[in-house]
Amino acid sequence: MRCDYFDAGLCRACSLMGVPYAQQLADKQRAAESTLAEHTGLAWLDPVASPESGYRNKAKMVVGGSVAKPTLGILDAAQRGIDLRGCGLHDARLTGVMPVLADFVGTARLEPYDVVARRGELKLLLATVSPDGELLLRFVLRSQESVARIRKHLPALRTALPQLRVVSANLLPEHRAAIEGETEILLGDEQVLPMRLGSLELHLRPQGFFQTNSHVAERLYAHAGEWIAELDPASVWDLYCGVGGFALSAAAPGRDVVGIELSGEAIAAAQSAARASGVDGVRFEAADATTWAPGTAGSGVGARAGAGAGVGAHGDAGTRASTALTLPETVIVNPPRRGIGPLADWLERTPEVRSVVYSSCNVDSLARDLRAMPSFTARAARVLDMFPQTPHSEVLVRLER
């Protein structure tokens, strides 16, 4: 892949730009194998490749410039806007809407935020495209000052972009380097973007997290689901479950599946997806997975949940205290880059957990966590290239006690 922005020195975020893709993939495989080399019995499956361009389903565009001539992209060292609306990593359907969004900035008189002067309103545009081509659009604003103007001109924007499904305004009043604030204002009736990955339908809400690469995410969830099917546990806990991709992939008749995620928005999306898919035996709860699992285990978990105990796709997060949960036979973890930390020790000393499926975006923290679980043997692993043109990838590992 070649990039004019990279060649001109305007953006250097893709540190592997210009490296042949086959070499990138081979290097990531070698790096993962080297980092986990102490696991001598580990069987490495063939890596999962990605399209090397056009793979990002989400665009995070810092807005700079002026109302008349906005830039959508990043800021340079002097905090001036650099326009990257033609970024080759974005899905072509995102690239295609950028001129319309830039025009809307002028139409709605949305003054780009000036970092140096600390004035202006519009900080970022966040756009996500579903595999079906529908859009979720978020305006990250300093205040509500321009919300009324966005509402006024939104019908015209929807006419120009009929694929626009969910629109919201996020308020980030503080002067700090952040993507979003806590307050989200929906600007329409729709609040969920369906994300169909093969046979799996997930839901995304404005403040929810979703894997950046839909092509590889589909393979990730499908492969984890295959491993779960082979292990055939009676109960599964999906910790750091996000919008529920692994939990819903693990669902099967007669199996209890619990998904835990700190983000309430992600849990609401997971519950919505479970209802839409008609999946039974799966429940989701908003909690800190790192402390929830040891805390739940320490509160007398052990009785198998009965049919009337409220474990299901329609259960809400507030009913867990009255619901008996079984310590899981299998645990799925998909933590942030820092890894699972003290949760590794809990897994090590909980004999009821017979297997772990670990999805990691940081092989170094993965290696550290595996050392903390010596009772488990790493049986199989696979590199999934979620982030071409960068050194990063996802590594999926199957562990058995």
Side-chain angles (χ1 to χ4, degrees):
M1 177 182 173
R2 292 291 302 276
C3 174
D4 292 339
Y5 300 124
F6 185 88
D7 292 342
L10 296 175
C11 176
R12 293 285 180 165
C14 296
S15 60
L16 300 185
M17 187 64 66
V19 177
Y21 182 64
Q23 181 180 335
Q24 292 185 34
L25 192 59
D27 288 346
K28 292 179 184 184
Q29 179 76 19
R30 280 192 293 270
E33 291 185 11
S34 175
T35 304
L36 300 180
E38 63 197 82
H39 301 277
T40 54
L42 182 55
W44 285 93
L45 305 178
D46 291 338
V48 173
S50 165
E52 61 178 291
S53 63
Y55 67 82
R56 285 189 61 93
N57 58 32
K58 183 174 183 178
K60 301 178 183 179
M61 311 302 282
V62 178
V63 183
S66 64
V67 171
K69 297 183 68 174
T71 61
L72 308 182
I74 60 175
L75 301 179
D76 65 13
Q79 305 301 311
R80 295 170 299 201
I82 296 178
D83 197 280
L84 302 178
R85 68 181 78 174
C87 174
L89 297 191
H90 291 154
D91 186 304
R93 294 168 295 185
L94 287 175
T95 306
V97 306
M98 291 300 164
V100 179
L101 297 181
D103 288 344
F104 187 78
V105 172
T107 300
R109 305 296 296 171
L110 305 177
E111 183 183 359
Y113 184 68
D114 186 321
V115 174
V116 176
R118 300 194 180 192
R119 66 168 179 263
E121 284 296 315
L122 180 59
K123 295 185 173 184
L124 296 101
L125 290 173
L126 306 177
T128 302
V129 63
S130 76
D132 294 335
E134 294 183 307
L135 290 173
L136 183 155
L137 175 63
R138 303 171 68 202
F139 297 86
V140 181
L141 307 168
R142 189 177 67 162
S143 73
Q144 294 195 53
E145 184 272 334
S146 53
V147 171
R149 294 197 302 281
I150 294 174
R151 289 186 186 276
K152 175 183 176 181
H153 295 285
L154 193 53
L157 182 62
R158 289 190 179 278
T159 299
L161 299 176
Q163 68 272 43
L164 190 56
R165 181 174 180 126
V166 182
V167 185
S168 68
N170 178 272
L171 303 186
L172 179 60
E174 301 88 356
H175 179 81
R176 58 188 173 93
I179 298 296
E180 62 183 26
E182 295 181 1
T183 302
E184 197 82 21
I185 304 171
L186 283 169
L187 303 177
D189 296 331
E190 295 284 351
Q191 55 184 319
V192 168
L193 181 69
M195 302 289 284
R196 294 178 179 86
L197 304 179
S199 61
L200 191 65
E201 180 182 310
L202 303 178
H203 288 178
L204 177 64
R205 292 164 62 95
Q207 288 186 302
F209 167 80
F210 199 87
Q211 296 285 2
T212 301
N213 189 325
S214 297
H215 308 277
V216 177
E218 180 178 338
R219 296 287 302 279
L220 175 69
Y221 295 136
H223 194 64
E226 291 169 6
W227 278 352
I228 297 296
E230 291 172 7
L231 293 165
D232 195 24
S235 55
V236 175
W237 287 1
D238 178 7
L239 306 180
Y240 316 94
C241 71
V243 295
F246 288 111
L248 294 174
S249 297
R255 180 177 297 151
D256 293 332
V257 181
V258 179
I260 302 298
E261 168 61 47
L262 187 60
S263 167
E265 280 287 289
I267 289 299
Q271 291 171 334
S272 172
R275 288 192 295 269
S277 300
V279 176
D280 292 323
V282 181
R283 62 169 293 150
F284 296 95
E285 178 174 338
D288 183 347
T290 307
T291 57
W292 180 89
T296 300
S299 63
V301 168
R304 181 69 179 265
V311 177
H314 298 269
D316 74 52
T319 60
R320 182 185 64 80
S322 60
T323 301
L325 293 175
T326 305
L327 276 171
E329 295 177 19
T330 297
V331 170
I332 305 169
V333 291
N334 182 30
R337 289 188 61 79
R338 65 179 179 271
I340 62 175
L343 195 58
D345 177 67
W346 175 78
L347 289 167
E348 173 65 18
R349 57 184 171 80
T350 305
E352 290 86 352
V353 179
R354 306 302 304 167
S355 54
V356 175
V357 175
Y358 194 135
S359 182
S360 170
C361 61
N362 181 356
V363 71
D364 293 322
S365 61
L366 169 63
R368 182 202 64 219
D369 290 339
L370 297 191
R371 291 188 195 104
M373 297 186 288
S375 295
F376 289 90
T377 298
R379 300 290 189 189
R382 176 165 248 166
V383 171
L384 299 100
D385 192 14
M386 198 76 73
F387 316 103
Q389 315 307 330
T390 81
H392 306 295
S393 63
E394 196 82 7
V395 179
L396 189 67
V397 182
R398 173 174 169 172
L399 307 165
E400 296 177 37
R401 197 184 290 275

